[in-house]
Short mmCIF file of all heavy atoms in Angstrom, two decimals:
data_model
loop_
_atom_site.label_atom_id
_atom_site.label_comp_id
_atom_site.label_asym_id
_atom_site.label_seq_id
_atom_site.Cartn_x
_atom_site.Cartn_y
_atom_site.Cartn_z
N GLY Q 23 -21.43 0.15 -10.97
CA GLY Q 23 -21.46 0.57 -12.37
C GLY Q 23 -20.81 -0.42 -13.31
O GLY Q 23 -20.35 -0.05 -14.39
N GLY Q 24 -20.75 -1.71 -12.90
CA GLY Q 24 -20.15 -2.73 -13.75
C GLY Q 24 -18.64 -2.81 -13.63
O GLY Q 24 -18.00 -3.55 -14.40
N ALA Q 25 -18.03 -2.10 -12.69
CA ALA Q 25 -16.57 -2.12 -12.52
C ALA Q 25 -16.16 -3.41 -11.82
O ALA Q 25 -16.49 -3.63 -10.66
CB ALA Q 25 -16.10 -0.91 -11.73
N ARG Q 26 -15.43 -4.25 -12.53
CA ARG Q 26 -15.00 -5.53 -12.00
C ARG Q 26 -13.53 -5.76 -12.32
O ARG Q 26 -13.01 -5.18 -13.26
CB ARG Q 26 -15.85 -6.66 -12.59
CG ARG Q 26 -17.35 -6.51 -12.35
CD ARG Q 26 -18.14 -7.68 -12.92
NE ARG Q 26 -17.86 -8.90 -12.17
CZ ARG Q 26 -18.03 -10.13 -12.67
NH1 ARG Q 26 -18.45 -10.28 -13.92
NH2 ARG Q 26 -17.77 -11.19 -11.94
N PRO Q 27 -12.85 -6.62 -11.55
CA PRO Q 27 -13.38 -7.41 -10.44
C PRO Q 27 -13.51 -6.58 -9.15
O PRO Q 27 -12.81 -5.59 -8.96
CB PRO Q 27 -12.31 -8.49 -10.25
CG PRO Q 27 -11.03 -7.81 -10.66
CD PRO Q 27 -11.42 -6.91 -11.80
N VAL Q 28 -14.44 -7.01 -8.30
CA VAL Q 28 -14.56 -6.43 -6.96
C VAL Q 28 -13.56 -7.18 -6.08
O VAL Q 28 -13.68 -8.38 -5.90
CB VAL Q 28 -15.99 -6.58 -6.41
CG1 VAL Q 28 -16.06 -6.03 -5.00
CG2 VAL Q 28 -16.97 -5.85 -7.32
N ARG Q 29 -12.59 -6.45 -5.56
CA ARG Q 29 -11.51 -7.10 -4.81
C ARG Q 29 -11.63 -6.86 -3.31
O ARG Q 29 -12.00 -5.77 -2.88
CB ARG Q 29 -10.14 -6.58 -5.27
CG ARG Q 29 -9.78 -6.87 -6.71
CD ARG Q 29 -8.37 -6.35 -6.99
NE ARG Q 29 -7.94 -6.61 -8.36
CZ ARG Q 29 -8.08 -5.78 -9.37
NH1 ARG Q 29 -8.68 -4.62 -9.18
NH2 ARG Q 29 -7.64 -6.08 -10.57
N ILE Q 30 -11.26 -7.87 -2.54
CA ILE Q 30 -10.99 -7.71 -1.11
C ILE Q 30 -9.56 -8.17 -0.87
O ILE Q 30 -9.00 -8.95 -1.64
CB ILE Q 30 -11.98 -8.52 -0.24
CG1 ILE Q 30 -12.00 -9.99 -0.65
CG2 ILE Q 30 -13.37 -7.91 -0.32
CD1 ILE Q 30 -12.85 -10.86 0.27
N GLY Q 31 -8.95 -7.66 0.21
CA GLY Q 31 -7.52 -7.87 0.37
C GLY Q 31 -6.78 -6.92 -0.53
O GLY Q 31 -7.37 -6.17 -1.33
N ASN Q 32 -5.45 -6.93 -0.46
CA ASN Q 32 -4.69 -5.99 -1.27
C ASN Q 32 -3.28 -6.53 -1.52
O ASN Q 32 -2.47 -6.63 -0.59
CB ASN Q 32 -4.61 -4.63 -0.57
CG ASN Q 32 -4.31 -3.50 -1.54
OD1 ASN Q 32 -3.40 -3.60 -2.35
ND2 ASN Q 32 -5.09 -2.42 -1.47
N ASP Q 33 -3.00 -6.87 -2.77
CA ASP Q 33 -1.68 -7.40 -3.12
C ASP Q 33 -0.58 -6.37 -3.01
O ASP Q 33 0.60 -6.72 -2.96
CB ASP Q 33 -1.70 -7.97 -4.55
CG ASP Q 33 -2.38 -9.33 -4.63
OD1 ASP Q 33 -2.69 -9.89 -3.55
OD2 ASP Q 33 -2.60 -9.83 -5.75
N ALA Q 34 -0.96 -5.09 -2.98
CA ALA Q 34 0.06 -4.05 -2.82
C ALA Q 34 0.77 -4.18 -1.47
O ALA Q 34 1.86 -3.63 -1.29
CB ALA Q 34 -0.57 -2.66 -2.94
N ALA Q 35 0.16 -4.90 -0.54
CA ALA Q 35 0.80 -5.11 0.77
C ALA Q 35 2.14 -5.81 0.63
O ALA Q 35 3.02 -5.68 1.50
CB ALA Q 35 -0.12 -5.93 1.68
N GLY Q 36 2.35 -6.54 -0.46
CA GLY Q 36 3.61 -7.23 -0.67
C GLY Q 36 4.60 -6.46 -1.51
O GLY Q 36 5.71 -6.95 -1.78
N GLN Q 37 4.23 -5.25 -1.95
CA GLN Q 37 5.15 -4.45 -2.76
C GLN Q 37 6.26 -3.83 -1.93
O GLN Q 37 6.14 -3.66 -0.71
CB GLN Q 37 4.38 -3.32 -3.46
CG GLN Q 37 3.47 -3.77 -4.57
CD GLN Q 37 2.81 -2.59 -5.25
OE1 GLN Q 37 2.73 -1.49 -4.70
NE2 GLN Q 37 2.31 -2.80 -6.47
N VAL Q 38 7.32 -3.45 -2.62
CA VAL Q 38 8.38 -2.63 -2.01
C VAL Q 38 8.04 -1.17 -2.32
O VAL Q 38 7.96 -0.78 -3.49
CB VAL Q 38 9.76 -2.98 -2.58
CG1 VAL Q 38 10.82 -2.01 -2.03
CG2 VAL Q 38 10.13 -4.42 -2.24
N GLN Q 39 7.79 -0.39 -1.29
CA GLN Q 39 7.48 1.03 -1.42
C GLN Q 39 8.34 1.78 -0.40
O GLN Q 39 8.00 1.85 0.78
CB GLN Q 39 6.00 1.30 -1.18
CG GLN Q 39 5.08 0.61 -2.18
CD GLN Q 39 3.61 0.87 -1.90
OE1 GLN Q 39 3.26 1.84 -1.23
NE2 GLN Q 39 2.74 0.01 -2.39
N LEU Q 40 9.44 2.31 -0.85
CA LEU Q 40 10.43 2.88 0.07
C LEU Q 40 9.96 4.17 0.73
O LEU Q 40 10.52 4.57 1.76
CB LEU Q 40 11.75 3.11 -0.68
CG LEU Q 40 12.41 1.87 -1.28
CD1 LEU Q 40 13.74 2.24 -1.91
CD2 LEU Q 40 12.61 0.78 -0.23
N ASP Q 41 8.95 4.82 0.17
CA ASP Q 41 8.53 6.09 0.76
C ASP Q 41 7.94 5.92 2.16
O ASP Q 41 7.93 6.86 2.95
CB ASP Q 41 7.49 6.77 -0.14
CG ASP Q 41 6.18 5.99 -0.21
OD1 ASP Q 41 6.17 4.93 -0.86
OD2 ASP Q 41 5.19 6.45 0.37
N ILE Q 42 7.48 4.71 2.50
CA ILE Q 42 6.81 4.53 3.80
C ILE Q 42 7.74 4.82 4.96
O ILE Q 42 7.29 5.20 6.05
CB ILE Q 42 6.22 3.11 3.94
CG1 ILE Q 42 7.31 2.05 3.91
CG2 ILE Q 42 5.17 2.87 2.89
CD1 ILE Q 42 6.82 0.67 4.31
N TYR Q 43 9.06 4.67 4.75
CA TYR Q 43 9.99 4.93 5.85
C TYR Q 43 10.01 6.41 6.20
O TYR Q 43 10.14 6.77 7.37
CB TYR Q 43 11.39 4.43 5.48
CG TYR Q 43 11.43 2.94 5.31
CD1 TYR Q 43 11.43 2.35 4.06
CD2 TYR Q 43 11.44 2.11 6.43
CE1 TYR Q 43 11.45 0.97 3.91
CE2 TYR Q 43 11.46 0.72 6.29
CZ TYR Q 43 11.46 0.16 5.03
OH TYR Q 43 11.46 -1.20 4.90
N GLY Q 44 9.86 7.25 5.20
CA GLY Q 44 9.80 8.68 5.48
C GLY Q 44 8.54 9.05 6.24
O GLY Q 44 8.58 9.80 7.22
N GLU Q 45 7.40 8.52 5.81
CA GLU Q 45 6.16 8.81 6.52
C GLU Q 45 6.19 8.25 7.95
O GLU Q 45 5.70 8.88 8.88
CB GLU Q 45 4.96 8.22 5.75
CG GLU Q 45 4.58 9.01 4.51
CD GLU Q 45 5.13 8.44 3.22
OE1 GLU Q 45 5.77 7.37 3.28
OE2 GLU Q 45 4.94 9.06 2.16
N LEU Q 46 6.78 7.06 8.10
CA LEU Q 46 6.89 6.47 9.43
C LEU Q 46 7.71 7.34 10.36
O LEU Q 46 7.29 7.69 11.47
CB LEU Q 46 7.51 5.07 9.32
CG LEU Q 46 7.83 4.38 10.65
CD1 LEU Q 46 6.55 4.03 11.39
CD2 LEU Q 46 8.67 3.13 10.41
N LEU Q 47 8.90 7.72 9.92
CA LEU Q 47 9.78 8.53 10.77
C LEU Q 47 9.25 9.93 10.97
O LEU Q 47 9.42 10.52 12.05
CB LEU Q 47 11.19 8.56 10.18
CG LEU Q 47 12.15 7.49 10.70
CD1 LEU Q 47 12.42 7.70 12.19
CD2 LEU Q 47 11.64 6.08 10.45
N ASP Q 48 8.58 10.48 9.97
CA ASP Q 48 7.99 11.80 10.13
C ASP Q 48 6.91 11.76 11.20
O ASP Q 48 6.82 12.66 12.04
CB ASP Q 48 7.39 12.27 8.80
CG ASP Q 48 7.16 13.77 8.76
OD1 ASP Q 48 7.89 14.51 9.44
OD2 ASP Q 48 6.24 14.20 8.05
N SER Q 49 6.09 10.71 11.19
CA SER Q 49 5.04 10.60 12.20
C SER Q 49 5.62 10.42 13.60
O SER Q 49 5.13 11.00 14.57
CB SER Q 49 4.10 9.45 11.86
OG SER Q 49 4.76 8.21 11.95
N ILE Q 50 6.67 9.61 13.71
CA ILE Q 50 7.31 9.41 15.02
C ILE Q 50 7.93 10.71 15.50
O ILE Q 50 7.83 11.07 16.68
CB ILE Q 50 8.35 8.28 14.93
CG1 ILE Q 50 7.65 6.94 14.69
CG2 ILE Q 50 9.21 8.23 16.19
CD1 ILE Q 50 8.60 5.78 14.41
#
């Protein structure tokens, strides 16, 4: 529908997101 840019890869991989530790430990 004209939505650009079309991205591959993800720069969010380099962000600090502290919530992931809770999801990690909850899953374990």
Side-chain angles (χ1 to χ4, degrees):
R26 303 181 68 203
V28 177
R29 296 183 179 92
I30 54 174
N32 201 311
D33 283 352
Q37 288 183 340
V38 174
Q39 298 179 21
L40 300 183
D41 66 288
I42 63 169
Y43 295 102
E45 285 98 4
L46 174 68
L47 267 296
D48 199 29
S49 66
I50 292 173

